[in-house]
Amino acid sequence: LYKIMKIKITLQIFLLIFFMFSPSWSETMTMDDLVEKNGLYYKKFSFVPYTGGISGYKVEGDAAFSEKGSLSKGKKNGEWLTFYENGELYSKGNFKDGKITGLWEWYLENGQISFQGNFKDGSKQGLWEHYYENGQISMKGNFKDGKEEGSWEYYHYNGKLYSKGNFKNGKQEGLWGNYHENGELYSNGNFKDGKEEGLWEYYHENGIFYSKGNLNNGKLEGLWKYYHDNGKLKEKGNFKDGKREGLWDYYHYNGQFSKKENFKDGYEIK
């Protein structure tokens, strides 16, 4: 009897160890059933990276989603799908060895596509496009190694161009143009290393010149002039390191002189 009990206990221990250290190929779990250690997912109380399906709910902020996918040796692999609570598709795409890869698409709850783009080795790569709820494109451009690169375009809700220019290594570079919702030019000027640099010009929605001046490292510098939407001078004065400095002159809508003000470090001197 003692020997039989000993054999049973030994067998139970063996089976326990076997299941703890052996992967299951047919299980379906939720991500909440797993724990992450050093970039790999494990079943709770297991020492073997999980291999099997994933199906269940996850919470992001105030929203709850259901997801479906699979893991291989503790890493996400293959197609992953995420759904809204109403069953509509939220996102779809693929993982490879735990890294997001290839084309991914995200959708609004009404089924309209929200944005889409490609990944390579877990980083954004190539063309990306974002859309408004009405289906109009809101922005499009390219990524290189996870950073914006080359030409990018942004659009108003009505489909008209809002902004256009180039990125270099994730920062705005060179000439950029910005536009009013009616299509009229709003501003144009240059960027250097992500900050406005040199001469910039701005326009009213009716096409009339609004302001003109220079920027240095993203800050207004030197003489700036501003105009009413009838073309008459509105105010003029100097900036230093982005702050008003010295005498400023102001004019009425009809062009008549209004008043003077004196500034120091951006504050009016009374």
Side-chain angles (χ1 to χ4, degrees):
L1 181 61
Y2 172 76
K3 289 183 178 180
I4 295 174
M5 290 295 295
K6 187 176 181 180
I7 293 173
K8 287 183 176 180
I9 293 172
T10 303
L11 180 60
Q12 289 173 348
I13 294 173
F14 171 78
L15 291 174
L16 176 63
I17 294 174
F18 175 80
F19 285 113
M20 287 180 66
F21 287 88
S22 298
S24 173
W25 297 91
S26 59
E27 286 185 286
T28 298
M29 312 285 287
T30 70
M31 292 302 290
D32 289 336
D33 294 325
L34 307 178
V35 292
E36 185 180 6
K37 300 175 184 177
N38 300 320
L40 298 177
Y41 288 95
Y42 298 79
K43 286 176 57 178
K44 295 175 181 177
F45 312 113
S46 172
F47 299 99
V48 177
Y50 176 68
T51 293
I54 291 294
S55 181
Y57 280 89
K58 68 174 183 177
V59 177
E60 291 184 5
D62 296 329
F65 301 93
S66 63
E67 59 182 349
K68 184 178 181 181
S70 60
L71 283 84
S72 177
K73 297 180 180 179
K75 295 182 179 181
K76 293 181 179 180
N77 264 293
E79 185 178 52
W80 275 71
L81 303 172
T82 308
F83 301 88
Y84 289 101
E85 289 184 279
N86 65 0
E88 289 287 342
L89 182 64
Y90 170 64
S91 68
K92 68 176 181 178
N94 286 273
F95 283 89
K96 184 178 181 181
D97 293 329
K99 294 182 179 180
I100 192 168
T101 190
L103 177 65
W104 274 74
E105 298 174 342
W106 284 263
Y107 296 85
L108 299 174
E109 203 164 356
N110 62 6
Q112 170 67 43
I113 190 166
S114 178
F115 56 100
Q116 62 181 359
N118 286 276
F119 288 89
K120 183 179 180 182
D121 294 328
S123 296
K124 292 180 179 180
Q125 191 80 9
L127 179 64
W128 276 72
E129 296 176 332
H130 291 239
Y131 299 86
Y132 289 111
E133 291 181 0
N134 64 358
Q136 290 284 354
I137 191 166
S138 64
M139 68 177 76
K140 66 178 180 179
N142 286 278
F143 281 88
K144 183 179 180 181
D145 299 327
K147 297 180 180 179
E148 296 94 334
E149 188 74 22
S151 178
W152 273 76
E153 296 178 357
Y154 301 80
Y155 296 86
H156 290 287
Y157 192 78
N158 64 5
K160 289 187 178 294
L161 184 64
Y162 168 66
S163 184
K164 182 179 181 179
N166 285 280
F167 281 88
K168 184 178 180 181
N169 199 30
K171 296 179 180 180
Q172 290 171 284
E173 189 75 20
L175 181 64
W176 276 74
N178 303 293
Y179 301 84
H180 290 286
E181 199 167 357
N182 64 359
E184 289 286 345
L185 181 65
Y186 167 66
S187 68
N188 61 7
N190 284 278
F191 280 86
K192 184 179 180 181
D193 200 28
K195 296 181 180 180
E196 297 96 331
E197 188 73 24
L199 179 65
W200 275 76
E201 297 177 337
Y202 296 81
Y203 297 84
H204 287 285
E205 198 168 358
N206 61 4
I208 297 295
F209 194 69
Y210 170 62
S211 66
K212 177 181 180 180
N214 285 280
L215 289 102
N216 182 24
N217 200 32
K219 296 180 180 180
L220 285 70
E221 193 73 29
L223 178 64
W224 275 75
K225 294 182 178 180
Y226 297 84
Y227 296 84
H228 293 286
D229 59 9
N230 61 0
K232 298 287 186 180
L233 184 63
K234 180 181 180 181
E235 57 186 279
K236 64 178 180 178
N238 285 277
F239 285 91
K240 184 179 179 181
D241 198 29
K243 300 176 182 178
R244 296 191 181 217
E245 187 76 15
L247 287 175
W248 276 73
D249 295 333
Y250 299 85
Y251 299 84
H252 293 292
Y253 192 76
N254 62 6
Q256 294 294 316
F257 178 77
S258 173
K259 64 179 180 178
K260 286 181 180 287
E261 290 180 345
N262 197 17
F263 290 86
K264 178 70 175 178
D265 293 327
Y267 295 97
E268 183 184 359
I269 301 174
K270 297 293 186 179

